[in-house]
Amino acid sequence: GAGVSQSPSNKVTEKGKDVELRCDPISGHTALYWYRQRLGQGLEFLIYFQGNSAPDKSGLPSDRFSAERTGESVSTLTIQRTQQEDSAVYLCASSFPRGGGANVLTFGAGSRLTVL
Amino acid sequence: AQKVTQAQTEISVVEKEDVTLDCVYETRDTTYYLFWYKQPPSGELVFLIRRNSFDEQNEISGRYSWNFQKSTSSFNFTITASQVVDSAVYFCALMLIQGAQKLVFGQGTRLTINP
């Protein structure tokens, strides 16, 4: 597609429920990233995929968080047993390797999660 | 580990003033990329510039300019003749060229341009 697409754009859930957030990267982008942005804060790295493997998942805050990616396309971020501190905007980005491999990340509009 | 520091949390200026956003980074690697992104009130991050560690030439794009100084590990961003539409949160970020290609962000600077 023309840009990185994320769904849902807004999700309100009750504490303790599981949520799934979806990211459709730009076609042909092999790298995919998930970040979390709490209100008024910076971007916190969660996980990075190259293809469908995750060489860096160091940012996942707890074992309630997991992510998977199918081939070089869609990725799903799952949060189990949500807590109020999980409330944030979850941003997905994708990129295509160039030269030495460093990328320009293109971000989606984000999924705003509110846990009541 | 890599770290990016944007010491200015908020800046407010009057339209047409020049403003400089500071960015200081830390890394032991000698090859890396530096970035600036803009996040307007709509929320979507917009890429502004990427600069690699090999090239210390300053860059100018319209009213925007960037000053990269390896000696002080800084990559500052200047907007000349600021406009209300420049109001946004600006993020500086760093990515290593070798190894983990994780983009590490600073905490951001909220810039408000008043008419």
Side-chain angles (χ1 to χ4, degrees), chain A residues 33 35 37 45 101-102 105, chain B residues 33 35 37 39 101-103:
Chain A
Y33 300 75
Y35 284 83
Q37 187 175 29
F45 170 79
L105 275 64
Chain B
Y33 283 103
F35 298 78
Y37 279 83
Q39 188 175 41
Q101 293 175 346
K102 175 171 70 178
L103 191 59

Side-chain angles (χ1 to χ4, degrees), chain B residues 2-5 8-9 14 20 40 43 54 72 78 82 84-86 97:
Chain B
Q2 294 74 49
K3 185 178 178 183
V4 177
T5 302
Q8 304 149 309
T9 307
V14 177
T20 295
F54 314 129
T72 55
T78 298
S82 59
V84 172
V85 294
D86 296 327
I97 292 178

Side-chain angles (χ1 to χ4, degrees), chain A residues 24-88:
Chain A
D24 276 283
I26 293 172
S27 178
H29 278 196
T30 56
L32 186 146
Y33 300 75
W34 284 99
Y35 284 83
R36 178 170 71 179
Q37 187 175 29
R38 292 196 167 111
L39 187 63
Q41 304 286 311
L43 278 79
E44 178 186 3
F45 170 79
L46 298 178
I47 188 169
Y48 152 63
F49 287 92
Q50 183 61 254
N52 62 1
S53 66
D56 192 339
K57 50 179 100 171
S58 62
L60 294 177
S62 74
D63 58 8
R64 295 188 297 105
F65 287 71
S66 63
E68 60 180 29
R69 187 179 186 194
T70 315
E72 291 184 354
S73 59
V74 173
S75 174
T76 303
L77 177 69
T78 301
I79 309 173
Q80 295 179 308
R81 306 182 302 283
T82 52
Q83 304 293 312
Q84 288 182 333
E85 67 259 26
D86 299 335
S87 296

